[in-house]
């Protein structure tokens, strides 16, 4: 029997909100499964959101990618759970019980209208992980402009209120009063028939200990940092500059930068 889009025939947990997890969630949801899409950070996107252009068409990565983000965010059969981690999994194919921990964003996701005023007024600047720490962002932040969900969050490792009970500017100025400093981690139990692991990758910084001098020389960067340098939305607006002093790379004969 054919199932309609809005009639889930089962539940699946997809762990990882990068391009692999997103495509998997869309494929499953389109065939009628109800999908819980777990992502450890504040937004879906993973590594692909950080790329500049992609092979072989040389298209802008985020231009290709953002329609999928919109699709996944609006799909009736997909529930996105950000800031989450799979803690425990029991069971067998057909019946799994997953225990998930959801970290607080300190912003009420229902109320936040993404006006950006908290980030604008926040006095605390910190290295921006999305840009490979080559640029700065505020302790109140949106990971990138096309983020899904489009909700701001507070960085609990740097926010002055969360660390020292100082500042609190964002709470005073937030129009819909979405800032909630007292949010706590949440435990969620999900019963599902299948689990797909799409955890992505971490950069292997072997060069840190070796011949390339990563970590010793500021102008030695990882491939993902270089993607952010190339990107028009990156720390140098797409200009190839040296991280050490912000200077331009010297022109080589026949190579115009
Ligand atoms: S000021 Fe409030 S509504 Fe505006 S982006 Fe920040 S948390 Fe969201
Ligand atoms: S309370 Fe924290 S996030 Fe809010 S403005 Fe101050 S430092 Fe920034």
């Amino acid at each position: 029997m054919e199932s309609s889009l809005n009639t889930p025939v089962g539940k699946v947990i997809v762990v990882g909100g990068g391009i692999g997890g997103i495509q998997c969630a869309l494929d499953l949801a389109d065939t009628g499964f109800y999908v819980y899409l777990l992502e450890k950070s504040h937004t879906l996107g993973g590594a692909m959101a950080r790329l500049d252009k992609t092979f072989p068409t040389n298209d802008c990565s985020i231009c290709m990618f953002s329609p999928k983000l919109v699709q996944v965010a609006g799909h009736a059969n997909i529930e996105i759970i950000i800031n989450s981690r799979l803690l425990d999994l029991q069971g067998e194919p057909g019946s799994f019980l997953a225990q998930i921990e959801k970290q607080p964003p300190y912003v009420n996701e229902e109320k936040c209208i993404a006006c950006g005023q908290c980030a604008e007024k926040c006095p605390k600047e910190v290295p921006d992980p999305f840009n490979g720490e080559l640029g700065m962002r505020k302790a109140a932040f949106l990971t990138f402009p096309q983020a899904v969900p489009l909700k701001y969050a507070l960085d609990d490792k740097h926010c002055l209120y969360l660390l020292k009970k100082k500042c609190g500017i964002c709470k005073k100025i937030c129009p819909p009063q979405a800032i909630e400093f007292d949010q706590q981690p949440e435990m969620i139990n999900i019963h599902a028939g299948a689990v797909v692991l799409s955890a992505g990758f971490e950069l292997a910084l072997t060069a840190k200990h070796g011949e390339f001098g990563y970590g010793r020389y500021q102008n030695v960067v990882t491939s993902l940092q270089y993607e952010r340098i190339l990107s028009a939305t990156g720390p140098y607006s797409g200009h190839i500059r040296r991280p050490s002093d912000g200077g331009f790379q010297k022109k080589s004969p026949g190579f115009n930068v």
Side-chain angles (χ1 to χ4, degrees):
M1 195 176 72
E2 219 177 275
S3 63
S4 90
L5 185 70
N6 294 320
T7 312
V9 295
K11 295 180 177 179
V12 180
I13 298 168
V14 176
V15 183
I19 185 64
I22 286 174
Q23 190 60 57
C24 176
L26 285 171
D27 290 345
L28 286 164
D30 282 346
T31 52
F33 289 95
Y34 191 82
V35 179
Y36 297 96
L37 179 56
L38 309 188
E39 166 55 37
K40 68 180 176 186
S41 73
H42 294 284
T43 175
L44 301 180
M48 188 157 175
R50 295 164 69 186
L51 302 182
D52 179 40
K53 306 274 194 305
T54 46
F55 181 82
T57 56
N58 218 22
D59 281 319
C60 154
S61 174
I62 201 72
C63 308
M64 292 167 61
F65 188 41
S66 53
K68 286 202 184 290
L69 288 174
V70 173
Q71 229 180 320
V72 89
H75 205 298
N77 281 352
I78 299 178
E79 186 172 330
I80 300 166
I81 308 177
I82 54 162
N83 299 325
S84 62
R85 214 158 56 97
L86 182 61
L87 281 191
D88 190 37
L89 187 67
Q90 305 282 340
E92 55 188 40
S95 180
F96 286 105
L97 187 62
Q99 191 180 36
I100 289 143
E101 184 185 48
K102 185 178 184 327
Q103 290 299 326
Y106 304 101
V107 171
N108 185 312
E109 292 167 38
E110 305 288 316
K111 291 184 182 174
C112 177
I113 54 171
C115 67
Q117 291 186 43
C118 50
E120 199 183 310
K121 302 285 182 204
C122 175
K124 182 69 181 171
E125 287 210 318
V126 299
D128 183 359
F130 185 76
N131 278 328
E133 306 204 338
L134 296 175
M136 304 295 278
R137 67 145 160 79
K138 300 293 185 67
F141 69 98
L142 182 69
T143 309
F144 60 96
Q146 299 86 353
V148 167
L150 193 65
K151 305 292 172 188
Y152 279 67
L154 307 189
D155 181 340
D156 58 3
K157 293 191 176 53
H158 296 99
C159 166
L160 299 173
Y161 189 90
L162 292 172
L163 292 176
K164 304 176 191 168
K165 296 275 182 288
K166 290 183 177 168
C167 183
I169 291 172
C170 53
K171 190 171 175 66
K172 288 180 204 136
I173 59 152
C174 173
Q177 304 192 326
I179 305 289
E180 294 177 353
F181 291 127
D182 57 356
Q183 283 186 355
Q184 297 295 321
E186 211 182 315
M187 298 303 289
I188 303 169
N189 291 323
I190 295 176
H191 189 197
V195 180
V196 179
L197 300 180
S198 178
F201 65 91
E202 293 287 339
L203 288 175
L205 297 180
T206 48
K208 190 172 183 178
H209 311 289
E211 65 275 29
F212 299 120
Y214 182 83
R216 275 187 291 138
Y217 305 115
Q218 261 186 297
N219 292 330
V220 176
V221 295
T222 66
S223 54
L224 275 181
Q225 283 176 319
Y226 194 62
E227 290 285 343
R228 297 312 301 151
I229 290 174
L230 291 176
S231 173
T233 60
Y236 310 133
S237 305
H239 298 291
I240 302 177
R241 291 174 179 264
R242 289 186 298 265
S244 61
D245 60 1
F248 283 95
Q249 187 61 33
K250 274 186 190 160
K251 282 184 183 177
S252 304
F255 180 68
N256 294 320
V257 178

